[in-house]
Amino acid sequence: MVRHDHPEKDATPCRGGCADTPQPAGGGWLRRLHAWFLHVYADGYNAKVDARKRHLIGDLRGAVLEIGPGSGANIGYFAPGIRWTGVEPNPMAHPYLLRKADAAGLDATLLTGTAERLPVPDASQDAVVSTLVLCSVADPDRVLAEVRRVLRPGGRFVFIEHVGAEPGSGERRWQRRVKPVWRRLGDGCEPDRDTAGRIRAAGFARVDIEPFRMPYPIVAPHIAGRAER
Ligand SMILES: C[S@@+](CC[C@H](N)C(=O)[O-])C[C@H]1O[C@@H](n2cnc3c(N)ncnc32)[C@H](O)[C@@H]1O
């Protein structure tokens, strides 16, 4: 069953459990383009991180919240039987997400909102997933505090993120140089964020982070890992 908090925007009916979350200013050709781009690039990106996603995401059980699920790149990795909630501010991505969740037979609730203010109760989630989101959120520290708030004790935060290159490196300088344009075209994405440092400082009980690289310019440095509340 797929539930959606703004069912009038697409053909999928809201069959209950719809949340009353604030609707951010939406629409616009750039948001539509981002949603489409996330949809078309997902398979190529996933092929390169397939083993990591299987390991990190496929292992999760129970109530799983995904922040910034975009156009649904991770939907195919969730184990059958989980209860998925997605919080995605770009309404143009919702039709892609709803189609993928429906096709996967996922028990899904899709909410419009931001990860800085997650519309779910304290300690209500067994796991939270973030892939390529902490680079774009307006306030990553606030988001990490929200992730901790909604996780039950012992609950798991799993993430794959592109991050800032080694400080002082030529790659880092390039990340900083292109940032103003990158951020504008990339829906707020900043290529030089110290996301690993922020996750380590966010107060989780245990944090495992593995750095790796992807074959892309500017956003090659990545991290994958998990943190436990
Ligand atoms: C690069 S996309 C990644 C999408 C998806 N997670 C993936 O791996 O393909 C970044 C996503 O974060 C979402 N986003 C941006 N700001 C956000 C916020 N403050 N809270 C939650 N999601 C946000 C964007 O709408 C977009 O869907």
Side-chain angles (χ1 to χ4, degrees):
M1 180 194 286
V2 178
R3 294 167 286 267
H4 187 211
D5 63 347
H6 293 286
E8 71 283 2
K9 287 213 164 58
D10 51 64
T12 307
C14 178
R15 301 188 201 105
C18 301
D20 183 20
T21 53
Q23 171 82 324
W29 66 271
L30 203 50
R31 294 193 118 187
R32 194 178 294 273
L33 184 67
H34 284 141
W36 173 82
F37 177 75
L38 291 174
H39 170 65
V40 296
Y41 107 126
D43 286 351
Y45 182 87
N46 278 350
K48 297 181 179 63
V49 290
D50 188 59
R52 291 176 198 280
K53 284 198 174 182
R54 280 178 196 278
H55 176 61
L56 289 171
I57 299 174
D59 227 19
L60 306 176
R61 297 291 181 274
V64 180
L65 176 82
E66 182 170 0
I67 59 171
S71 296
N74 298 326
I75 293 288
Y77 288 94
F78 292 105
I82 68 144
R83 298 180 305 285
W84 180 88
T85 302
V87 177
E88 171 52 57
N90 183 356
M92 302 301 174
H94 288 198
Y96 296 106
L97 268 169
L98 292 166
R99 270 200 300 277
K100 286 175 192 163
D102 202 27
L106 207 59
D107 178 345
T109 301
L110 176 57
L111 305 175
T112 311
T114 67
E116 282 85 352
R117 197 167 145 254
L118 289 170
V120 298
D122 295 1
S124 59
Q125 305 297 313
D126 295 295
V128 176
V129 175
S130 170
T131 65
L132 309 180
V133 177
L134 294 175
C135 54
S136 314
V137 298
D139 186 345
D141 295 325
R142 172 88 205 125
V143 169
L144 289 166
E146 277 292 271
V147 169
R148 276 189 61 221
R149 177 185 69 77
V150 305
L151 278 173
R152 65 163 171 77
R156 201 184 288 176
F157 175 45
V158 305
F159 49 87
I160 297 178
E161 299 286 342
H162 70 78
V163 295
E166 197 63 37
S169 65
E171 194 174 31
R172 182 71 166 245
R173 279 194 290 280
W174 270 109
Q175 289 180 329
R176 272 211 310 276
R177 247 175 238 148
V178 302
K179 183 157 81 171
V181 177
W182 194 271
R183 187 168 42 202
R184 190 152 178 77
L185 296 177
D187 201 14
C189 172
E190 296 191 337
D192 63 342
R193 287 191 178 175
D194 177 17
T195 298
R198 286 196 151 106
I199 294 172
R200 286 191 204 286
F204 289 100
R206 190 185 148 182
V207 179
D208 294 313
I209 298 182
E210 189 197 346
F212 68 104
R213 291 184 67 83
M214 290 285 274
Y216 300 124
I218 307 298
V219 292
H222 272 60
I223 56 168
R226 58 181 107 199
E228 215 171 276
R229 186 184 154 198

